[in-house]
Amino acid sequence: LVIIIMNKINNLVILAAGRGLRMKPLTNKIPKAMAPLNHSTLIAEGLKRFKKKIKNVHITVGYKGSMLAKHVIEYDVSSVLNTEGKGNSWWLYNTLLKNLDEPCFVITCDNIFNINLKKYESEYFNLNCPPCMLILTKPIKNLGGDYVFFDKNKNITRISRNIISNYYCSGIQIVHPKKINMHTKPTQNFYKVWSQLISKKKIKCSRSLIQNWFAVDNLLQLKIANKEKKQIKV
């Protein structure tokens, strides 16, 4: 029995296993999560702030995983999950976190944003703790992403890369691993997780949008992030 006190989310998973092919030649030497940002790294900027707010932080590693694991250990993370060669949702079904009977934040290491954690925790619990709640943002010119469609009750009805809407998936979500395992079949891709949940009307979206959101997908965007001194703030 897990008792969630005061609608508090105690776990965060940072997805940092990708190869970062669009950031070559930098990522020939280092994993994308270790790309330099404000005299630190993409992942360290987030860890320094999230560790003050969330009790347990878990990192998925893959490409150059040992290098990244060594880098994040100094931030006292709760676990490092080796997902090399696997998809971004593999950990949900194949690690000890699959038994987690409470919600957790999930973010990607390459997103930079300001977030009020308490606000989204409240939204999630007010939506009766669905298996998944996607946190949305407004589309940004020249940044690709998943367009999200939803009804008046915040039930997501479609997610598409090609059909345009006024809302993007920000790469930030709140998931309940045990509920997801109850309602979906194992898959290695979050898009397929979401598709299964859409078919069962088990996925919601946030009422509030993430502000000052930016994604680092290539070297030009990394240069912009450093020039404008973008930071992850929570």
Side-chain angles (χ1 to χ4, degrees):
L1 177 64
V2 175
I3 300 175
I4 302 172
I5 301 174
M6 297 178 63
N7 290 356
K8 173 69 175 172
I9 294 178
N10 296 305
N11 288 272
L12 164 71
V13 177
I14 302 179
L15 306 180
R19 291 186 61 86
L21 295 175
R22 286 174 288 183
M23 292 182 68
K24 286 186 173 183
L26 177 66
T27 49
N28 286 334
K29 297 181 178 180
I30 60 173
K32 181 179 182 178
M34 290 178 63
L37 181 67
N38 301 330
H39 305 291
S40 183
T41 65
L42 272 175
I43 196 163
E45 281 287 288
L47 280 172
K48 285 184 289 186
R49 291 167 176 82
F50 281 112
K51 279 296 293 180
K52 297 177 182 179
K53 303 286 186 178
I54 298 180
K55 181 179 180 181
N56 306 307
V57 177
H58 314 272
I59 314 292
T60 69
V61 301
Y63 175 66
K64 296 189 180 295
S66 59
M67 181 186 295
L68 181 55
K70 184 178 179 180
H71 178 61
V72 301
I73 285 297
E74 65 183 275
Y75 296 96
D76 193 29
V77 297
S78 299
S79 68
V80 175
L81 309 172
N82 184 358
T83 64
E84 185 172 7
K86 310 297 184 182
N88 58 10
S89 69
W90 179 86
W91 62 273
L92 263 175
Y93 304 95
N94 297 280
T95 69
L96 290 176
L97 289 180
K98 70 181 181 181
N99 299 313
L100 187 64
D101 194 10
E102 60 180 289
C104 65
F105 279 100
V106 178
I107 68 172
T108 55
C109 71
D110 53 4
N111 285 349
I112 302 171
F113 49 83
N114 297 338
I115 184 170
N116 182 331
L117 293 176
K118 289 184 178 179
K119 177 169 65 176
Y120 291 105
E121 286 172 344
S122 178
E123 286 195 22
Y124 176 81
F125 288 102
N126 286 338
L127 288 170
N128 296 316
C129 303
C132 180
M133 183 186 87
L134 300 186
I135 297 176
L136 305 185
T137 190
K138 285 288 187 180
I140 295 178
K141 186 177 180 180
N142 298 325
L143 284 182
D146 296 304
Y147 292 100
V148 179
F149 299 79
F150 53 88
D151 64 24
K152 63 181 181 180
N153 295 316
K154 299 300 178 181
N155 295 301
I156 293 177
T157 57
R158 174 181 288 182
I159 299 173
S160 174
R161 282 280 171 114
N162 303 312
I163 304 174
I164 298 173
S165 77
N166 292 322
Y167 303 95
Y168 263 170
C169 176
S170 67
I172 309 163
Q173 54 186 316
I174 298 174
V175 305
H176 191 296
K178 191 166 185 178
K179 288 183 180 180
I180 285 182
N181 275 271
M182 287 172 58
H183 293 290
T184 66
K185 295 179 180 179
T187 177
Q188 295 193 28
N189 184 290
F190 259 114
Y191 189 87
K192 292 181 180 179
V193 176
W194 299 334
S195 296
Q196 291 183 70
L197 293 174
I198 287 172
S199 69
K200 296 185 177 183
K201 298 182 179 180
K202 294 290 185 180
I203 181 171
K204 299 275 190 176
C205 64
S206 63
R207 299 182 185 278
S208 305
L209 303 182
I210 285 285
Q211 303 298 317
N212 301 317
W213 175 86
F214 190 77
V216 179
D217 286 328
N218 55 50
L219 292 176
L220 175 59
Q221 289 162 2
L222 180 64
K223 183 177 180 179
I224 293 170
N226 279 284
K227 183 177 180 180
E228 297 182 4
K229 297 187 182 301
K230 293 182 179 293
Q231 295 181 332
I232 297 172
K233 296 180 181 179
V234 296

